[in-house]
Amino acid sequence: FVFYFFFFQAEDGIRDPLWSRGLGDVYKRQVSTQSTWGFQNLFMKEIILCFLLLAGFLKANYTADMRELLRDPECFLNTDTSAIFRAYKSNGQVDPYAKDSLIRGREIECSIYISPCFKCSNPRKQITDTCDAIYGTDFTYYPYIVIEDPELWPGDISSHRKFIEQMVLEVLNLKRCFIDVRFRTTKYDWETIVGNDWTIYSEKDLWYVSNDKKKDFDDFVPFGGWKTPILKQYDQDEMHCFNNVNLNYQPKGKMKQKMNLNNCLLYTSDAADEGLGVDLGGRRIIKTN
């Protein structure tokens, strides 16, 4: 076999998405991708990318979830990998890496997950703290509430249900951060923590865990009213783009993070000032809030 390797030097910086550029304007947003693993040489990064290509990562519709800072968003972009970042920890603290990871990964499909602290009580505050911690990324998200590990859920099923209901209500209330709620769980965890007959959220999207190393939903068994998942964790503790991640199978286009225009400026090439903005020599800045 003969392999041909092609290396391309990217421009220094990356283009912002179309909605943040003026017509005909190209400006660069510097994102630090320095890795603690020492892959700081561009040539080395290109070689690693080639190996990822040969290994089949490119355009593979992967989703990686992680509990650390996103190190190389360009690699995620080039390998068409979505990302889900932990935003709240089961010890009752927000994750310090979540917001920076969301900012670094703003050009890839991103979401977050929340690991509740049942023994900490105050479920609404846990959601509010999460929102406050990630607010300012200019996007709103579909957060996954994690219902796993029965040992972290002391008490009875009724108290668990009330706790989760309060979390969901707060997610739906905080439109500045969230679009709608989703769940991450397993059949065993759901049945043990809240009971299989609790189907109140069966219309919400489901992410389940299998770790069978198969990129399909063939092993899924309906529970809690769910008949079809949107995401499956099929492998764990893998290295991808210099991050330690869990790998997930997901049909394309299910993240759907949404640009938050409430605090943005829209650039147009219309030089006329019609009272909606300020003329800056060929461009109008229109305030949207």
Side-chain angles (χ1 to χ4, degrees):
F1 295 92
V2 177
F3 294 95
Y4 295 92
F5 295 87
F6 299 90
F7 302 110
F8 301 91
Q9 173 66 55
E11 62 181 49
D12 183 18
I14 57 179
R15 293 171 179 257
D16 270 344
L18 184 60
W19 32 256
S20 64
R21 298 204 304 267
L23 184 62
D25 294 329
V26 177
Y27 66 92
K28 300 174 182 178
R29 173 173 50 82
Q30 298 293 337
V31 178
S32 174
T33 59
Q34 183 172 355
S35 167
T36 58
W37 295 87
F39 292 100
Q40 301 174 14
N41 181 279
L42 177 61
F43 181 71
M44 282 298 297
K45 290 178 67 175
E46 289 171 337
I47 291 178
I48 295 297
L49 179 58
C50 283
F51 279 114
L52 290 173
L53 292 170
L54 293 174
F57 275 99
L58 188 64
K59 306 303 179 185
N61 297 346
Y62 286 94
T63 297
D65 68 271
M66 68 187 74
R67 297 176 291 177
E68 58 188 31
L69 182 68
L70 177 64
R71 292 192 170 95
D72 194 338
E74 185 179 357
C75 178
F76 271 68
L77 186 64
N78 290 336
T79 56
D80 198 29
T81 306
S82 304
I84 306 178
F85 306 109
R86 182 180 64 182
Y88 196 87
K89 301 187 287 186
S90 59
N91 65 357
Q93 298 179 349
V94 296
D95 193 302
Y97 300 123
K99 183 174 182 178
D100 286 342
S101 293
L102 289 168
I103 292 173
R104 289 182 175 212
R106 62 182 297 168
E107 293 202 20
I108 62 177
E109 288 190 342
C110 294
S111 190
I112 63 169
Y113 69 89
I114 298 168
S115 296
C117 179
F118 179 74
K119 65 181 181 181
C120 300
S121 67
N122 208 340
R124 283 182 175 263
K125 185 176 185 300
Q126 294 183 36
I127 299 300
T128 301
D129 288 347
T130 301
C131 177
D132 291 341
I134 67 169
Y135 184 68
T137 64
D138 293 333
F139 285 91
T140 50
Y141 303 94
Y142 286 94
Y144 291 88
I145 296 179
V146 178
I147 310 299
E148 294 178 352
D149 300 324
E151 64 272 16
L152 299 178
W153 294 81
D156 56 50
I157 284 179
S158 177
S159 63
H160 301 162
R161 291 180 177 184
K162 291 177 181 178
F163 186 93
I164 294 168
E165 286 175 342
Q166 290 300 305
M167 296 194 85
V168 171
L169 286 173
E170 194 63 17
V171 167
L172 299 178
N173 183 54
L174 292 175
K175 297 300 185 183
R176 64 190 176 99
C177 291
F178 308 123
I179 304 169
D180 200 353
V181 69
R182 292 174 171 176
F183 288 91
R184 171 189 161 110
T185 188
T186 67
K187 186 175 186 293
Y188 168 77
D189 289 321
W190 189 261
E191 291 178 345
T192 305
I193 295 170
V194 298
N196 194 46
D197 63 333
W198 201 43
T199 61
I200 185 174
Y201 298 119
S202 60
E203 82 283 1
K204 303 300 184 183
D205 292 330
L206 173 67
W207 171 18
Y208 77 107
V209 181
S210 175
N211 291 326
D212 65 351
K213 301 186 185 301
K214 295 180 180 179
K215 297 184 281 291
D216 56 47
F217 294 147
D218 292 347
D219 66 327
F220 179 74
V221 177
F223 67 91
W226 283 295
K227 297 186 181 344
T228 305
I230 67 162
L231 189 63
K232 167 190 172 181
Q233 180 180 308
Y234 67 86
D235 206 354
Q236 59 184 341
D237 296 328
E238 296 288 336
M239 290 302 301
H240 180 59
C241 293
F242 318 121
N243 279 109
N244 184 271
V245 304
N246 298 322
L247 293 176
N248 300 270
Y249 165 74
Q250 177 183 39
K252 191 67 176 173
K254 292 293 185 179
M255 287 293 182
K256 298 180 181 177
Q257 76 267 33
K258 182 179 180 182
M259 177 63 184
N260 185 354
L261 294 177
N262 291 333
N263 298 305
C264 296
L265 296 175
L266 302 181
Y267 295 81
T268 79
S269 57
D270 186 353
D273 185 355
E274 300 174 357
L276 299 176
V278 179
D279 183 7
L280 290 181
R283 290 178 302 190
R284 231 179 350 154
I285 299 181
I286 304 175
K287 299 183 68 174
T288 64
N289 52 345

